[in-house]
Amino acid sequence: MIFQGKSFLAEKDFTKDELQYLIDFSKHLKNLKKRGIPHRYLEGQNIALLFEKNSTRTRAAFTVAANDLGAHPEFLGANDIQLGSKESVSDTAKVLGSMFDGIEYRGSSQDVVESLAEHAGVPVWNGLTDDWHPTQMIADFLTIQENFGYLEGINLVYCGDGRNNVANSLLVTGAILGTNVRIVSPKELQPEEKVVAFAQKFAADSGAKLVVTDSVEEGVSNADVLYTDVWVSMGEEEKFAERIELLLPYQVNQKMIELAQNEDVIFMHCLPAFHDTNTKYAKDILEKFGLQEMEVTDEVFNGKYAQQFEQAENRLHSIKAIMAATSGNLFITKV
Ligand code: CP
Ligand code: NVA
């Protein structure tokens, strides 16, 4: 039972076949959900949801997934428990692990989620750290597979902040799965050397071609997927001025879509996105910097290539697959 009891902390801990299994299992669970067929693999379990950073999709997906699987989710926010302020990570892990059957964690530190996993004795799922966003990847590659039918050889182009959690995860996951990944970012925001070196090792096995470039023309040509994320990630809010200056040429707009020269290109975004001024945050940016849109224009966001809401829904099915595979006692002996 290869997944049972295992934590889901970073993509690198899983083989190509294992990641592909989770993608295909997500598709299966999506189908069961749409057809109203019960899939209560975690009947009677209790799941802790630790969020030190805000979330809409990840929190909603873990909550609904737990309920659909027959488990009870319990939300434990940053100010609700003693973690980090009065109690160490390892002590918290031992206590939660003695009561809960699985623990989701979202916060800044990859070390914290790894330490939770080391001490909890139950599966721990990484709901986003500053380094990686692995549950997002199963949803994203499911979305790509749904659109194109396959993953190997697809040109996935990520434009924007190339050294954030989502860019890191796309690079490594694509490299494992055989999807060509291009990170298109200004030099100052390109992925760390160690992440690229790491991804290259996987690419040598899978045949994925990896490119890191600051040239939009070079990076975007023949793209099958144009992917972007916010220019300023959670916890970096003081960096708006410098990011806007560096990243404006990397905005995903209609002109960039045309540069792909591919009628079948799709647009993806992990969300939330700054594509209009309908949020408090965006109004603030408009006032300070005169910008109405940031990483993606409203035209592209609402255009015919956009897949971000299908991608968001897929968070539910993929998180469900990850939870069921690791905590559901399923008969998966080999993939
Ligand atoms: N994509 C994503 O993780 O969204 P949330 O921050 O809303 O969970
Ligand atoms: N890079 C973003 C992803 C949000 C889902 C952040 O960390 O804020």
Side-chain angles (χ1 to χ4, degrees):
M1 306 238 277
I2 49 167
F3 292 102
Q4 184 63 26
K6 204 165 168 182
S7 290
F8 194 74
L9 306 176
E11 305 78 358
K12 65 173 170 40
D13 304 333
F14 293 83
T15 65
K16 178 181 182 181
D17 288 346
E18 288 167 353
L19 291 180
Q20 187 65 56
Y21 177 88
L22 291 172
I23 293 164
D24 294 338
F25 188 33
S26 310
K27 183 178 164 202
H28 171 68
L29 291 171
K30 182 174 184 175
N31 184 258
L32 293 186
K33 169 95 175 167
K34 301 271 177 210
R35 293 164 64 200
I37 299 172
H39 40 280
R40 297 172 73 83
Y41 297 121
L42 304 190
E43 190 77 61
Q45 293 196 15
N46 287 287
I47 305 297
L49 305 180
L50 272 57
F51 280 86
E52 293 186 337
K53 288 181 172 183
N54 289 346
S55 166
T56 297
R57 278 142 290 273
T58 311
R59 178 177 174 181
F62 267 102
T63 304
V64 176
N67 283 318
D68 284 356
L69 290 167
H72 172 82
E74 186 63 32
F75 179 77
L76 303 168
N79 300 318
D80 298 334
I81 58 171
Q82 314 281 18
L83 175 63
S85 51
K86 217 172 149 186
E87 195 158 26
S88 68
V89 178
S90 58
D91 289 359
T92 305
K94 285 171 196 156
V95 173
L96 295 181
S98 73
M99 300 185 191
F100 288 94
D101 302 285
I103 301 169
E104 179 278 351
Y105 172 82
R106 167 175 286 201
S108 295
S109 167
Q110 184 69 19
D111 288 346
V112 168
V113 79
E114 289 186 4
S115 175
L116 278 174
E118 191 185 333
H119 298 284
V122 297
V124 172
W125 306 295
N126 178 359
L128 177 146
T129 61
D130 291 347
D131 295 348
W132 310 109
H133 196 2
T135 66
Q136 179 78 47
M137 292 304 113
I138 303 302
D140 291 354
F141 283 84
L142 170 62
T143 310
I144 297 169
Q145 187 170 286
E146 286 175 333
N147 273 275
F148 298 98
Y150 57 95
L151 295 171
E152 284 188 357
I154 290 287
N155 294 324
L156 165 56
V157 178
Y158 173 94
C159 287
D161 175 9
R163 35 120 309 251
N164 74 13
N165 39 22
V166 171
N168 288 346
S169 279
L170 286 170
L171 194 60
V172 171
T173 310
I176 297 172
L177 288 168
T179 303
N180 303 325
V181 184
R182 300 185 207 145
I183 304 289
V184 186
S185 305
K187 292 210 161 54
E188 296 85 339
L189 293 173
Q190 292 183 347
E192 279 178 41
E193 205 43 60
K194 68 169 196 248
V195 176
V196 179
F198 197 57
Q200 289 290 9
K201 278 197 196 144
F202 290 113
D205 282 340
S206 72
K209 293 190 205 76
L210 307 181
V211 173
V212 177
T213 177
D214 62 355
S215 160
V216 171
E217 283 73 18
E218 183 199 341
V220 168
S221 122
N222 298 320
D224 295 304
V225 181
L226 271 178
Y227 194 125
T228 191
D229 184 13
V230 287
W231 289 347
V232 170
S233 286
M234 288 182 276
E236 302 184 314
E237 284 75 10
E238 80 290 356
K239 293 191 194 289
F240 268 111
E242 67 177 75
R243 292 291 166 79
I244 288 171
E245 195 179 323
L246 286 169
L247 288 170
L248 210 45
Y250 297 85
Q251 179 189 63
V252 179
N253 49 34
Q254 195 53 36
K255 189 167 156 255
M256 189 185 277
I257 294 268
E258 278 152 28
L259 273 179
Q261 295 193 296
N262 177 2
E263 240 330 282
D264 297 325
V265 69
I266 62 168
F267 168 73
M268 292 178 67
H269 193 309
C270 53
L271 302 177
F274 288 112
H275 60 96
D276 60 21
T277 53
N278 293 334
T279 62
K280 186 170 165 292
Y281 226 95
K283 283 189 177 68
D284 199 38
I285 297 296
L286 176 64
E287 205 173 290
K288 285 197 188 122
F289 304 101
L291 265 188
Q292 307 238 14
E293 310 157 310
M294 285 200 274
E295 72 275 8
V296 56
T297 60
D298 206 41
E299 184 184 15
V300 169
F301 193 84
N302 290 308
K304 63 176 181 174
Y305 307 103
Q307 286 294 316
Q308 70 276 1
F309 291 116
E310 192 71 28
Q311 181 186 358
E313 184 200 310
N314 283 340
R315 299 296 308 288
L316 167 64
H317 311 299
S318 50
I319 281 172
K320 196 184 281 181
I322 294 162
M323 292 169 83
T326 53
S327 195
N329 291 297
L330 302 182
F331 187 67
I332 312 166
T333 52
K334 137 181 194 309
V335 295

